[in-house]
Amino acid sequence: MGEFELIAQFFTRPQHPLGPGVELGIGDDCALLAPTPGMRLAISSDMLVQGRHFFADVDPRSLGHKALAVNLSDLAACGARPLAFTLALALPQADAAWLKAFAEGMFALADQHGCALIGGDTTQGPLNICITVFGEVPPGQALLRSGAQVGDDVYVSGTVGDAHVALQVLLGHVTLDDATFAKARQRLEQPTPRVALGQALRGIATAAADVSDGLVGDLGHILKQSGVGATLRAQDAMQLLAACAVSTGATGQFASKNASFISPELHLQSVLAGGDDYELVFTASPANCAAVQAAALASGTPVHCIGQIEAAPGLRVVDSAGQPVAQGVKAFDHFAPHKG
Amino acid sequence: MGEFELIAQFFTRPQHPLGPGVELGIGDDCALLAPTPGMRLAISSDMLVQGRHFFADVDPRSLGHKALAVNLSDLAACGARPLAFTLALALPQADAAWLKAFAEGMFALADQHGCALIGGDTTQGPLNICITVFGEVPPGQALLRSGAQVGDDVYVSGTVGDAHVALQVLLGHVTLDDATFAKARQRLEQPTPRVALGQALRGIATAAADVSDGLVGDLGHILKQSGVGATLRAQDAMQLLAACAVSTGATGQFASKNASFISPELHLQSVLAGGDDYELVFTASPANCAAVQAAALASGTPVHCIGQIEAAPGLRVVDSAGQPVAQGVKAFDHFAPHKG
């Protein structure tokens, strides 16, 4: 199959509307967007590499979903409404079954968000997926990492940590019962970008980022860029792990609802430093507590307050007695040895 | 070196102005563009893979230049003014000397065009460079592939074919004297995107594309999307080869000015089907002949008329007696066996 046949067969949808704001899609030297006059265009680009971001045997449908999801998650984190995206794809070979499933997974998510594929590139090479996504946000309303204020509450959407536990299972470091693993794996392989929540938080959140490299790392970006620090409550943070474990409370032991067990250390590590959840971490004034809950309700996305922004730089995680925990927790770094 | 340190050291230029139209650059979940109200945003994305688009030992400064040049060339082909770009980079390792040279080559070209790096991604993996570029063009003035009209002249900017000859030398198929090879290699490794010419041709050219995969293939896209055909004059086309060869005229033999020789077959193949030149192929009404020459003069870019658009589908290449030549010439296909 040739390059242009491949694009025509799997990535061109002549019957599919491109949506408002897209004037020209695939097939010319450039695509053309017609942005709403006065709006800001939010842009993000993520590259996924086999062996680094996914395993060679990953379900291609899930991979198509995830490659777009991680980009939509960046739009969510700045409160933008998705418009369109480009896809650049290096493939070892043109495998029709693989491409069909990959495209289906990608377009299913794209259609949920009215986000049209408008262009890109395909070439032969080690498997590599680079998506660049475009969204609109009104002037002055983008959620930035730099806006957190001393006294703000720190929130996290949904649940975090399950993706990291699923990765540990895939790497053979941990075992879980099948049902629990299936739920955790869903979080790893088919994350849900919090696009509606991000838009609902415009004018409410003071800062936001998506949790891609882990809570400590991504909240760390907010703290650094806002010139503030924070304290997180370990007990509240540990409740964020959903599929794999629940606290048994006073005993300090953690057991899965489905009789799978993970260690307290892995539990805390997964919640605080596990990547790949694609939830939002954001800050908001306590005065906006009700507005945050209303945004969560309107967007159908639960949010949890797990700490506060403080003037003292750095990130502290404390137990119920106010004592520091989790000294060894580190965020994911793509140039550090593989976290697996 | 960590991911964020790498970005800070090589790809962040805090003292460098982002230029009008860019509201927020590197460092948040998204970059923010502030497009001029009413303008169209032209977008193109290209992925360069080691072993496919460049050799492992290519000069990183040239590679940085070329990775951006091929994208700017797409903006040129649609007549857009460059605004900004994102860079996603997979690297086997963080090699400081390599990254410094790569960034220098890329930024030197970016600065020539006032095109700011606004975001992207870095990860570990087989070397892969994906740039997505953004430009502005007034509504209705983008040069598309679909506008060629029967009777139009077919033009090519600058020179084509030298990049292909240089590739043949690097692959060991051909030898050239050092001075000739140096000139040809410059065309392969540091192509000049015809950004000023593209903008000067707004309202004059009826269709345009950049010559990335070869003249036959890229003009073929124009013909197909315009629903027309064309005849090219081989003798005029063969004059497009610059560094490597000149026609000796009546004898039918071709010899380099610098005493290197390439065969007439390689000469014709290089001009018609050699990729990587990043010139513009475009069409314009004969009534706009003077306007085309004025645009060429204003942009400092020579252009040559090498044929005509016709109603009969397909692309014909004829000799001075009107007889067909070059039946075996094919455009480059990224999923065909490597043209080397």
Side-chain angles (χ1 to χ4, degrees), chain B residues 67-81:
Chain B
L68 180 59
V70 304
N71 280 281
L72 290 174
S73 180
D74 285 312
L75 290 187
C78 92
R81 183 176 63 84

Side-chain angles (χ1 to χ4, degrees), chain A residues 3 23 27-29 31 33 40-41 43 47 52-53 74 121 123-124 132 134 145 209-210 225 333-334, chain B residues 3 23 27-31 33 40-41 43 47 52-53 121 123-124 132 134 145 209-210 225 334:
Chain A
E3 179 184 1
E23 188 167 288
D28 216 295
D29 290 283
L33 290 186
R40 297 299 175 258
L41 202 77
I43 298 172
M47 178 174 268
R52 197 78 196 167
H53 302 91
D74 284 314
D121 196 11
T123 186
Q124 196 182 51
T132 306
F134 315 103
R145 293 177 175 177
D210 72 330
Q225 293 186 35
D333 185 313
H334 283 284
Chain B
E3 179 184 3
E23 186 167 289
D28 216 295
D29 289 283
C30 292
L33 290 187
R40 298 299 176 257
L41 202 78
I43 297 171
M47 177 174 269
R52 198 78 195 165
H53 301 90
D121 196 11
T123 186
Q124 195 181 54
T132 305
F134 314 103
R145 293 177 176 176
D210 72 331
Q225 294 187 33
H334 284 285

Side-chain angles (χ1 to χ4, degrees), chain B residues 96-170:
Chain B
W98 192 96
L99 281 162
K100 181 168 184 293
F102 177 88
E104 281 174 0
M106 182 182 75
F107 283 129
L109 182 63
D111 292 349
Q112 283 178 32
H113 295 282
C115 192
L117 176 63
I118 56 169
D121 196 11
T122 58
T123 186
Q124 195 181 54
L127 186 54
N128 184 306
I129 305 156
C130 182
I131 286 182
T132 305
V133 75
F134 314 103
E136 281 193 346
V137 60
Q141 292 193 36
L143 307 178
L144 305 183
R145 293 177 176 176
S146 51
Q149 302 291 320
V150 173
D152 281 355
D153 291 319
V154 176
Y155 292 89
V156 177
S157 68
T159 66
V160 296
D162 293 297
H164 182 71
V165 177
L167 178 63
Q168 301 311 307
V169 175
L170 289 171

Side-chain angles (χ1 to χ4, degrees), chain A residues 10-50:
Chain A
F10 299 108
F11 297 112
T12 311
R13 304 200 294 173
Q15 305 309 320
H16 197 84
L18 290 171
V22 182
E23 188 167 288
L24 184 70
I26 290 173
D28 216 295
D29 290 283
C30 292
L32 294 174
L33 290 186
T36 308
M39 294 286 268
R40 297 299 175 258
L41 202 77
I43 298 172
S44 180
S45 190
D46 275 300
M47 178 174 268
L48 272 64
V49 175
Q50 181 175 307

Side-chain angles (χ1 to χ4, degrees), chain B:
Chain B
M1 192 183 326
E3 179 184 3
F4 300 107
E5 191 189 338
L6 187 159
I7 294 168
Q9 185 166 346
F10 299 108
F11 297 111
T12 311
R13 304 201 292 172
Q15 304 309 320
H16 198 82
L18 292 170
V22 181
E23 186 167 289
L24 183 71
I26 291 172
D28 216 295
D29 289 283
C30 292
L32 294 174
L33 290 187
T36 308
M39 293 286 268
R40 298 299 176 257
L41 202 78
I43 297 171
S44 181
S45 189
D46 274 300
M47 177 174 269
L48 271 65
V49 175
Q50 179 174 310
R52 198 78 195 165
H53 301 90
F54 58 90
F55 295 102
D57 62 352
V58 68
D59 168 35
R61 196 182 164 90
S62 293
L63 185 59
H65 172 101
K66 183 164 179 175
L68 180 59
V70 304
N71 280 281
L72 290 174
S73 180
D74 285 312
L75 290 187
C78 92
R81 183 176 63 84
L83 278 182
F85 67 106
T86 59
L87 166 70
L89 194 57
L91 296 167
Q93 67 278 322
D95 175 333
W98 192 96
L99 281 162
K100 181 168 184 293
F102 177 88
E104 281 174 0
M106 182 182 75
F107 283 129
L109 182 63
D111 292 349
Q112 283 178 32
H113 295 282
C115 192
L117 176 63
I118 56 169
D121 196 11
T122 58
T123 186
Q124 195 181 54
L127 186 54
N128 184 306
I129 305 156
C130 182
I131 286 182
T132 305
V133 75
F134 314 103
E136 281 193 346
V137 60
Q141 292 193 36
L143 307 178
L144 305 183
R145 293 177 176 176
S146 51
Q149 302 291 320
V150 173
D152 281 355
D153 291 319
V154 176
Y155 292 89
V156 177
S157 68
T159 66
V160 296
D162 293 297
H164 182 71
V165 177
L167 178 63
Q168 301 311 307
V169 175
L170 289 171
L171 291 167
H173 300 168
V174 177
T175 54
L176 289 178
D177 67 272
D178 289 351
T180 306
F181 175 56
K183 283 188 207 167
R185 185 175 191 167
Q186 173 89 2
R187 296 304 313 273
L188 176 67
E189 297 186 347
Q190 296 198 40
T192 302
R194 300 305 191 181
V195 173
L197 177 63
Q199 292 172 71
L201 289 171
R202 288 179 194 159
I204 297 168
T206 52
D210 72 331
V211 183
S212 53
D213 291 343
L215 193 48
V216 165
D218 292 310
L219 176 57
H221 295 311
I222 290 178
L223 301 183
K224 191 172 173 191
Q225 294 187 33
S226 299
V228 295
T231 291
L232 301 187
R233 299 178 294 274
Q235 278 203 314
D236 288 338
M238 288 177 86
Q239 302 296 335
L240 293 173
L241 193 70
C244 298
V246 291
S247 167
T248 58
T251 69
Q253 299 299 309
F254 301 92
S256 148
K257 287 170 178 160
N258 300 289
S260 286
F261 290 81
I262 64 169
S263 69
E265 291 75 21
L266 177 59
H267 186 147
L268 193 63
Q269 169 78 21
S270 298
V271 167
L272 292 181
D276 267 350
D277 291 297
Y278 301 97
E279 294 292 350
L280 297 185
V281 54
F282 62 95
T283 58
S285 162
N288 270 328
C289 178
V292 167
Q293 296 302 332
L297 198 65
S299 62
T301 314
V303 301
H304 302 277
C305 179
I306 61 164
Q308 266 72 41
I309 297 295
E310 298 168 343
L315 177 60
R316 294 156 291 280
V317 183
V318 298
D319 64 18
S320 54
Q323 295 303 305
V325 296
Q327 297 295 348
V329 170
K330 284 192 64 177
F332 183 57
D333 185 312
H334 284 285
F335 286 90
H338 198 295
K339 62 178 168 176

